[in-house]
């Protein structure tokens, strides 16, 4: 299964912040295509294709991590040429977020896929952005999210996979396999 760890940003206390970010994402019509509302997340570690037999050990190892909760503020928007996305970014990512991501990227059970870029926490809002699409994006309203838990998610390895859940527009949804609490 294609797996990644992410902040789902779905804690009850985040409802207003999440709704505002969703509204901002959906307002940028004409700039690529919006990710489904339910898929909004901040990736902590992308593991790639992990054999099912590893999943229980992965969960047990992560369950034992005792790492602190924190909050993040998404206040800036960026357009990245590779991959072609619009994303919300954090002006100052907290150390606890960077430490959590580092732990999850370097698990001996299944280390994350090597990435040539430094880890830059971001929340992807739109994909398939073209070069001249994204000039003059409106500034997003700064949104603060409490991060009290994170999840292990499955993403479809193939868009034609019929077993994956989809939204009412037929877009594939990520599946949360397990949630982990921060202290
Ligand atoms: P994103 O965080 O920029 O949106 C599932 O594919 C999630 O893992 C996506 O959210 C995706 O990007 C993130 N991801 C990170 N590295 C990836 C990679 N090499 N291939 C696919 N997805 C990756």
């Amino acid at each position: 299964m294609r797996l990644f760890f992410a902040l789902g940003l779905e804690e009850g206390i985040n409802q207003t912040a999440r709704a505002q970010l969703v509204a901002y994402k959906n307002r940028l019509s004409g700039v690529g295509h919006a990710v489904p509302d339910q898929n909004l997340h901040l990736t902590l570690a992308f593991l790639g294709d992990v054999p099912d037999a590893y999943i229980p050990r992965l969960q047990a190892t992560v369950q034992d991590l005792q790492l602190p909760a924190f909050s993040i503020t998404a206040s800036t928007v960026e357009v990245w040429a590779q991959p072609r996305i619009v994303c919300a970014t954090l002006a100052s990512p907290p150390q606890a977020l960077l430490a959590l991501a580092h732990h999850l990227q370097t698990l001996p059970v299944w280390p994350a896929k090597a990435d040539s870029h430094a880890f830059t926490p971001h929340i992807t809002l739109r994909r398939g952005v073209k070069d001249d699409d994204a000039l003059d994006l409106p500034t997003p309203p700064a949104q603060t999210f409490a991060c009290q838990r994170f999840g292990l998610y499955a993403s479809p390895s193939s868009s034609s996979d019929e077993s994956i859940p989809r939204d009412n527009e037929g877009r594939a949804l990520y599946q949360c396999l397990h949630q982990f609490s921060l202290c």
Side-chain angles (χ1 to χ4, degrees):
M1 242 191 280
R2 199 179 198 221
L3 300 182
F4 63 103
F5 288 104
L7 296 171
L9 310 172
E10 285 173 328
E11 291 85 339
I13 196 171
N14 293 332
Q15 262 183 20
T16 305
R18 194 180 169 91
Q20 302 253 21
L21 197 57
V22 163
Y24 175 78
K25 159 181 85 68
N26 293 339
R27 246 194 349 259
L28 303 179
S29 55
V31 183
H33 53 270
V35 304
D37 298 356
Q38 302 94 311
N39 279 0
L40 219 59
H41 68 280
L42 187 154
T43 301
L44 296 163
F46 178 72
L47 304 185
D49 281 315
V50 180
D52 288 358
Y54 281 73
I55 295 176
R57 257 201 297 155
L58 201 53
Q59 286 181 356
T61 308
V62 173
Q63 200 80 63
D64 287 344
L65 294 175
Q66 295 277 313
L67 293 170
F70 51 87
S71 61
I72 56 170
T73 301
S75 56
T76 41
V77 66
E78 293 183 27
V79 180
W80 291 359
Q82 199 50 257
R84 294 177 168 274
I85 59 170
V86 174
C87 55
T89 49
L90 319 179
S92 41
Q95 197 52 44
L97 162 64
L98 301 179
L100 171 62
H102 179 73
H103 272 92
L104 298 174
Q105 288 165 10
T106 55
L107 293 171
V109 185
W110 194 275
K113 286 268 169 232
D115 193 333
S116 52
H117 299 104
F119 172 65
T120 307
H122 64 279
I123 304 166
T124 300
L125 303 177
R126 304 187 70 95
R127 296 189 189 279
V129 175
K130 299 200 193 75
D131 285 343
D132 50 0
D133 257 356
L135 307 169
D136 293 332
L137 291 182
T139 308
Q143 299 303 335
T144 297
F145 295 88
C147 303
Q148 297 160 341
R149 56 181 194 243
F150 61 96
L152 176 62
Y153 292 84
S155 83
S157 355
S158 138
S159 56
S160 58
D161 185 343
E162 293 194 352
S163 66
I164 54 180
R166 294 179 184 274
D167 69 4
N168 50 17
E169 292 176 40
R171 298 175 300 181
L173 298 176
Y174 300 137
Q175 277 176 281
C176 185
L177 304 182
H178 197 83
Q179 298 260 15
F180 304 89
S181 296
L182 295 164
C183 309

